[in-house]
Amino acid sequence: EEWRSEFITHSPVVEELLGQARLVASSDASILIHGASGSGKEVLARAIHKASPRAKHPFIAVNCGAIPESLLESELFGHTKGAFTGATENYGGLFQAANGGTLFLDEAGDMPLALQVKLLRVLQERTFERVGSNKSIEADVRIIAATHRNLEEAITEGKFREDLFYRLNVFPIEMPPLRDRVEDIPKLVSALVGEFGKAMGKNIESVAKESMDTLQRYSWPGNVRELRNVIERAMIMSRGPRLRIQPPGRTGVAPAPGLTIAEVDREHIRRVLEMTGWRIRGKRGAADLLGLRPTTLEARMVRLGIHRPT
């Protein structure tokens, strides 16, 4: 089916998830997609939009954690000329751009509290005001939000509004990490090799079996985004028709039996940090190699107890 064409899967877990997505697509219910960074939350949101009655209207995506707080309100709701320094003309904002369609709020858990109030009003009343104006504008927009955060914990910490959570969480969907769908890795690798081969003008006839075995043993803390980065690097380095692929961090050896996923992640992240001289940010930094946002990697380091040696 065309609506799910971006999903490459043999996984029963993902097939069940897509079944849920197909059912909810026909409604206007708000959806909250939870999952780790790089697991494909935006791909799922696009699929839901394509399967919905709003498919012929815009799908607009915005990463709430990537836009400074001072600009996010204007980006979402628009502003009038002169509303603030630098506002030299009227700007409609993303809610207006998505009219009739779907607005995907990625990393909605990073949204500041003041903006959460305004978003709640949009969900309740289907209206909003631009920055610098008190004129109400109708919002015919379907909201799909996504987060890697535990929003229940954020509510307890006073960082996320409980009433907004329940408005967004009408239909929750859990996006599985790549390590829970390892049966999809060969098909994903094949698709990525084809994509990069076409872009780079390289003809790859096969992938080494030992490489595929290694990829399926690896825990993929950066999920599909990390896999994509690994395949792209392997394609750049390839010199023949048979592709050999090595995940970052000398992970050709399977992890020792009995290790928990957290322990495997801790060891792998530590190895990547050592490879980069403990440089997290920038091109070829640890976050880039792992396919993670730097702030996501830093939060994971804190959670896993990873500290730079003194």
Side-chain angles (χ1 to χ4, degrees):
E1 293 178 275
E2 197 279 332
W3 71 274
R4 52 169 289 171
S5 59
E6 289 187 63
F7 269 92
I8 298 169
T9 186
H10 290 304
S11 165
V13 174
V14 179
E15 288 294 345
E16 182 179 351
L17 176 153
L18 289 172
Q20 295 174 0
R22 187 71 181 88
L23 288 172
V24 74
S26 60
S27 76
D28 252 354
S30 298
I31 298 168
L32 182 61
I33 304 172
H34 191 275
S37 180
S39 58
K41 298 187 290 294
E42 183 173 341
V43 175
L44 178 60
R46 285 185 185 275
I48 292 170
H49 172 74
K50 286 181 182 179
S52 77
R54 296 177 176 267
K56 293 182 180 180
H57 297 281
F59 174 92
I60 305 289
V62 57
N63 187 323
C64 299
I67 300 174
E69 285 188 24
S70 58
L71 298 178
L72 185 56
E73 182 179 10
S74 170
E75 187 69 19
L76 288 174
F77 301 107
H79 61 252
T80 59
K81 182 178 179 180
F84 51 85
T85 303
T88 56
E89 57 186 30
N90 292 333
Y91 171 62
L94 297 181
F95 266 93
Q96 181 172 309
N99 191 52
T102 302
L103 182 60
F104 175 59
L105 301 175
D106 197 9
E107 300 305 348
D110 293 343
M111 185 178 289
L113 285 167
L115 264 189
Q116 292 177 31
V117 174
K118 199 160 184 177
L119 177 59
L120 179 64
R121 185 185 170 194
V122 175
L123 290 168
Q124 289 174 332
E125 302 177 15
R126 297 288 174 181
T127 61
F128 66 94
E129 291 91 33
R130 292 179 184 168
V131 178
S133 170
N134 57 10
K135 179 183 177 182
S136 290
I137 301 171
E138 289 191 8
D140 178 19
V141 176
R142 201 255 185 92
I143 300 293
I144 301 178
T147 183
H148 72 280
R149 294 180 179 273
N150 183 325
L151 291 187
E152 288 92 338
E153 284 185 6
I155 290 167
T156 302
E157 294 167 0
K159 296 178 180 177
F160 203 83
R161 292 183 62 98
E162 187 173 20
D163 45 7
L164 177 58
F165 171 73
Y166 288 118
R167 280 283 179 175
L168 292 174
N169 201 44
V170 174
F171 196 95
I173 298 179
E174 186 76 25
M175 196 74 200
L178 186 55
R179 63 175 173 262
D180 288 349
R181 44 181 292 214
V182 292
E183 60 268 50
D184 285 344
I185 288 176
K187 199 172 179 182
L188 286 165
V189 170
S190 177
L192 290 166
V193 167
E195 176 188 337
F196 289 123
K198 185 176 180 181
M200 298 176 188
K202 294 186 175 184
N203 183 29
I204 300 296
E205 296 175 1
S206 63
V207 175
K209 183 180 184 302
E210 62 270 24
S211 292
M212 193 64 75
D213 290 344
T214 298
L215 296 180
Q216 290 188 284
R217 289 197 301 262
Y218 177 58
S219 65
W220 297 108
N223 292 292
V224 180
R225 187 182 297 133
E226 184 183 10
L227 175 64
R228 183 182 182 86
N229 290 351
V230 165
I231 301 303
E232 183 176 13
R233 287 194 296 275
M235 290 291 295
I236 291 169
M237 300 296 292
S238 70
R239 293 291 181 270
R242 186 172 178 81
L243 186 66
R244 296 186 180 278
I245 309 164
Q246 180 75 3
R250 296 181 286 111
T251 51
V253 179
L259 287 181
T260 66
I261 288 171
E263 288 168 335
V264 172
D265 281 356
R266 183 184 298 112
E267 178 62 20
H268 171 60
I269 290 171
R270 189 186 300 278
R271 285 177 175 177
V272 174
L273 286 163
E274 289 171 354
M275 286 171 55
T276 63
W278 289 80
R279 184 169 61 87
I280 292 174
R281 298 169 185 273
K283 190 72 173 173
R284 308 294 295 170
D288 181 46
L289 292 178
L290 288 166
L292 299 172
R293 291 169 54 204
T295 52
T296 301
L297 175 55
E298 288 165 346
R300 191 167 294 182
M301 288 169 64
V302 171
R303 179 163 54 82
L304 295 173
I306 299 172
H307 305 287
R308 181 172 186 161
T310 54

